[in-house]
Amino acid sequence: MAMLAPAIQAVAAWPCHADAAAQPSQPRRRRAQQVQKFQARGGYLASAGALVASCRARKAHFLRLRATSSTILIDEATSGDLLPAADVAVRALRWTEGWLDTPNFSDEDYALLSGREAPTYQSLYLADNGYPSTLLVARLQEKEEKKESSWFDFGSGSSSKVVGCVGCEVKCFNRLTNEMLPVTQYDGGKQTVLRPVMADLAVSSECRGRGVGRKLVEKLEDVVRDWGYDELVLLVEATNFQARGVYERLNYRLAGLRLAEATFFLDKSEGGRRVAERKTVALLLRKSLKPFPQGDLENLNWGAVLILLGLFLALTQTPEVVTLLQSNVIRFFA
């Protein structure tokens, strides 16, 4: 056994196959590093390729925008504009029974509503009822510019479609209660007054945020001035907060309240489709079209002014606030 001890120690010092496999040789390690570098280089190339493709897509988008020039024109509607204007209006206005209900309507539903509204627009805005009335439409005109001239080119193409509308008719109101009456009850201005009423302001979803609604309203205000009226009123549902914000920015102020105003909705509860009536709370908004400064004073938001004035008076009743204001004023003029 003493003679075998040096041989056993020499065999134990030899590396086993498992350790040799766990520690790769120098050429194998070099090949692994080369594969990693190649994969990293491929990732860089893929990222660069995606960036180039994105730049090309953006450039093509800008070229299409340059090749197509679009303008919004506001003019009076014709009989051929009634159905497109009605289609824009029924898709933009509310036709649900509850103000929180989701408008789950199909194209057939909107076709039914627009087919119902188009004759109504004809009788309200385009027919001669003895008093002024109008229907204005916003037309989106797109013009394709020629890329290069050749004898195959017969000119640039253009298209036009209705993307917005607003109507207006003259109605009779009681001077004291602002109650809307039939026009036949107008007594020459003693107890009733004639006022132009704006309605059916709508803009298609593809053109919202481009100032189309403001252009329609401003054009309508010019038309009403030409009629000889110095004010314009409208009715809006109290729960239609988006429309109320738009009219607020256009300087329309609260002039009355309707607790049971009749309007319509599309009833699909019994499996069919029918237009039913519902009652709602509506606000009567008014804007003065008189020249400066009388019109601007009438259109001022006096509610906000009174709130700020009351807040100022309440603060000035506190001695600490009065002392602080006095010291700041003296320091400013010193």
Side-chain angles (χ1 to χ4, degrees):
M1 292 296 294
M3 296 178 60
L4 293 177
I8 293 174
Q9 292 177 358
V11 171
W14 292 351
C16 63
H17 295 288
D19 294 338
Q23 298 179 0
S25 60
Q26 190 71 15
R28 186 180 302 175
R29 189 182 299 110
R30 189 178 299 111
R31 285 196 300 270
Q33 293 176 356
Q34 290 177 356
V35 169
Q36 292 177 358
K37 291 181 180 179
F38 180 78
Q39 291 177 350
R41 192 174 304 168
Y44 296 149
L45 292 176
S47 301
L51 181 61
V52 170
S54 176
C55 292
R56 288 179 178 176
R58 186 173 299 179
K59 181 179 179 181
H61 176 67
F62 285 137
L63 289 177
R64 284 195 301 268
L65 290 179
R66 292 181 59 184
T68 303
S69 58
S70 61
T71 55
I72 300 293
L73 298 179
I74 310 296
D75 58 0
E76 294 186 0
T78 62
S79 57
D81 298 324
L82 293 177
L83 191 58
D87 184 70
V88 171
V90 298
R91 292 178 182 272
L93 303 178
R94 171 188 163 189
W95 286 93
T96 57
E97 185 176 8
W99 68 282
L100 289 177
D101 295 343
T102 303
N104 187 19
F105 298 146
S106 62
D107 291 338
E108 290 78 8
D109 298 333
Y110 288 121
L112 172 67
L113 294 173
S114 59
R116 175 185 178 275
E117 290 295 295
T120 305
Y121 289 178
Q122 172 71 37
S123 60
L124 289 179
Y125 304 129
L126 299 188
D128 187 6
N129 299 322
Y131 293 95
S133 61
T134 187
L135 177 66
L136 302 180
V137 294
R139 305 183 193 276
L140 176 64
Q141 292 190 344
E142 295 180 344
K143 183 178 180 181
E144 290 282 344
E145 299 180 356
K146 296 184 294 184
K147 296 181 179 180
E148 58 182 7
S149 59
S150 65
W151 67 280
F152 291 103
D153 219 348
F154 295 98
S156 58
S158 61
S159 62
S160 174
K161 63 178 179 179
V162 175
V163 295
C165 65
V166 63
C168 183
E169 60 174 331
V170 175
K171 293 186 177 182
C172 181
F173 289 83
N174 187 297
R175 281 187 178 273
L176 298 178
T177 63
N178 279 327
E179 180 185 1
M180 193 178 300
L181 305 172
V183 184
T184 55
Q185 297 187 14
Y186 178 62
D187 59 359
K190 297 178 182 179
Q191 296 182 356
T192 58
V193 60
L194 295 177
R195 292 172 177 169
V197 180
M198 176 172 58
D200 298 311
L201 175 62
V203 179
S204 63
S205 58
E206 61 180 308
C207 291
R208 291 174 189 170
R210 299 176 57 178
V212 178
R214 177 179 290 273
K215 292 179 180 178
L216 284 167
V217 174
E218 291 176 350
K219 179 64 176 179
L220 180 61
E221 292 173 356
D222 293 338
V223 172
V224 169
R225 289 190 185 95
D226 294 338
W227 290 349
Y229 295 92
D230 58 3
E231 63 178 341
L232 184 60
V233 299
L234 62 95
L235 286 173
V236 61
E237 286 195 69
T239 55
N240 194 347
F241 302 105
Q242 183 177 3
R244 288 174 56 184
V246 172
Y247 295 130
E248 175 73 20
R249 291 189 292 271
L250 293 173
N251 295 325
Y252 284 82
R253 306 305 178 203
L254 181 64
L257 181 65
R258 306 293 179 85
L259 297 178
E261 186 69 19
T263 185
F264 301 94
F265 72 100
L266 183 61
D267 186 10
K268 301 175 63 178
S269 59
E270 299 179 356
R273 290 194 301 257
R274 69 182 186 93
V275 178
E277 182 178 318
R278 63 180 175 88
K279 299 295 184 179
T280 184
V281 178
L283 306 179
L284 179 66
L285 304 183
R286 175 186 178 274
K287 180 178 181 179
S288 175
L289 303 180
K290 298 176 183 178
F292 178 83
Q294 184 177 356
D296 296 81
L297 290 175
E298 292 183 9
N299 296 329
L300 193 62
N301 192 345
W302 289 103
V305 173
L306 293 177
I307 291 176
L308 292 176
L309 181 61
L311 181 61
F312 176 77
L313 293 177
L315 291 175
T316 54
Q317 298 300 319
T318 306
E320 293 81 2
V321 176
V322 174
T323 305
L324 181 62
L325 291 175
Q326 290 178 352
S327 61
N328 289 335
V329 170
I330 294 175
R331 187 182 307 167
F332 178 78
F333 288 101

